Amino acid sequence: MEIGIFVAGRLGSKRLPKKLILPFGESNLWDIACKKLNHLPDEYEKVVLINEPELINIAEKYENIRIILRSKTSSIGNAEDASVYEDVDKMKSDYIMWINPCLSMVQTATIEGALDYYKQSDKRYLESVKSFKSWLFNSEGKLITDTDFNKLNTKSVNGIYEAAHAFRIFPKKEFLKTWKMLDTDLLIYPISSLESMDVDTELDYTIALECYKKYTGKT
């Protein structure tokens, strides 16, 4: 099974402009993501999808990474539409892992573990998830999670997960036909709450930066 790994970047974030190159520890989120990708085993095709000079200059420092220049449409398209990753058609691999560069605390060992887990399965998709231990209600106020009313604590909630959006794996051919990065034929791969810390807003950035400093010692 040939698996390629890609990280896509652009500087057009509206909630936190240029968040990928804002100061973060000793570098920035984009550099941290590139370094992580570079250190993954060379058995995997390793690619970044970018076109802004600031991102290209950083990625060029890493010799094990191939740079694919994003098309104009993918660079300015809606980030919620998976077709912004159309440039994966230039990757050689049949199966693709996407890694989110905005989650600085995801460890390379976690990524490798997910890849190994996927390769040992016959499922076509994999999604990173984080444990969710609380009560969930529908719009009518009905509980949709198992709850022990005699204890009323969240410790009794088991087996509930939410998407972490840290990484996912999908078959390239199907993706290019449907633009779906996930389908029902999937595995879930739990990661820690610390690893799932995402940066979308200025508040996210402040919190994630402090956690990064604390747990890595990089100021």
Side-chain angles (χ1 to χ4, degrees):
M1 178 184 291
E2 296 291 330
I3 300 179
I5 307 168
F6 82 94
V7 183
R10 56 185 184 175
L11 300 179
S13 173
K14 295 180 179 179
R15 286 180 289 182
L16 185 59
K18 297 191 174 183
K19 63 180 177 181
L20 289 181
I21 56 173
L22 292 176
F24 201 93
E26 295 177 334
S27 55
N28 52 60
L29 288 171
W30 182 246
D31 186 55
I32 292 168
C34 288
K35 184 180 296 184
K36 205 174 298 180
L37 179 62
N38 190 64
H39 287 166
L40 288 169
D42 289 337
E43 67 183 271
Y44 302 109
E45 178 186 14
K46 297 179 286 189
V47 165
V48 290
L49 304 181
I50 46 180
N51 69 7
E52 287 106 335
E54 299 97 321
L55 302 179
I56 293 172
N57 289 340
I58 292 170
E60 285 179 335
K61 298 188 303 181
Y62 298 98
E63 59 183 18
N64 296 322
I65 294 176
R66 181 163 67 98
I67 296 173
I68 294 178
L69 296 179
R70 298 181 76 162
S71 66
K72 184 176 180 181
T73 54
S74 71
S75 297
I76 63 176
N78 185 345
E80 303 302 317
D81 183 350
S83 66
V84 297
Y85 302 130
E86 63 184 5
D87 298 296
V88 299
D89 69 342
K90 300 180 180 71
M91 295 179 68
K92 303 172 184 177
S93 305
D94 295 325
Y95 298 88
I96 306 294
M97 171 182 261
W98 164 79
I99 296 178
N100 188 343
C102 298
L103 284 76
S104 63
M105 297 299 294
V106 177
Q107 303 298 301
T108 54
T110 300
I111 296 170
E112 290 186 61
L115 287 162
D116 289 340
Y117 186 53
Y118 181 78
K119 288 187 291 185
Q120 293 169 13
S121 169
D122 60 356
K123 300 292 186 180
R124 295 184 303 138
Y125 297 86
L126 178 144
E127 174 68 16
S128 57
V129 297
K130 55 185 175 179
S131 178
F132 184 89
K133 282 191 170 292
S134 191
W135 309 323
L136 289 175
F137 302 83
N138 65 17
S139 60
E140 298 174 349
K142 182 180 178 181
L143 274 166
I144 58 176
T145 48
D146 294 332
T147 304
D148 186 338
F149 289 104
N150 292 317
K151 295 181 179 178
L152 284 180
N153 64 57
T154 57
K155 294 179 181 178
S156 62
V157 178
N158 295 310
I160 304 297
Y161 295 92
E162 61 179 310
H165 305 293
F167 50 78
R168 59 181 58 104
I169 306 176
F170 53 92
K172 184 178 73 174
K173 185 181 294 185
E174 283 87 342
F175 171 71
L176 293 172
K177 289 180 180 178
T178 65
W179 300 126
K180 293 195 299 185
M181 298 176 79
L182 279 180
D183 210 334
T184 53
D185 185 25
L186 63 84
L187 297 165
I188 59 171
Y189 194 83
I191 66 174
S192 70
S193 58
L194 184 62
E195 286 183 298
S196 65
M197 191 171 296
D198 200 352
V199 175
D200 283 322
T201 66
E202 186 173 354
L203 179 59
D204 293 339
Y205 171 76
T206 301
I207 295 171
L209 177 55
E210 290 306 310
C211 287
Y212 185 79
K213 290 177 181 178
K214 178 178 179 180
Y215 289 99
T216 67
K218 297 179 180 179
T219 59

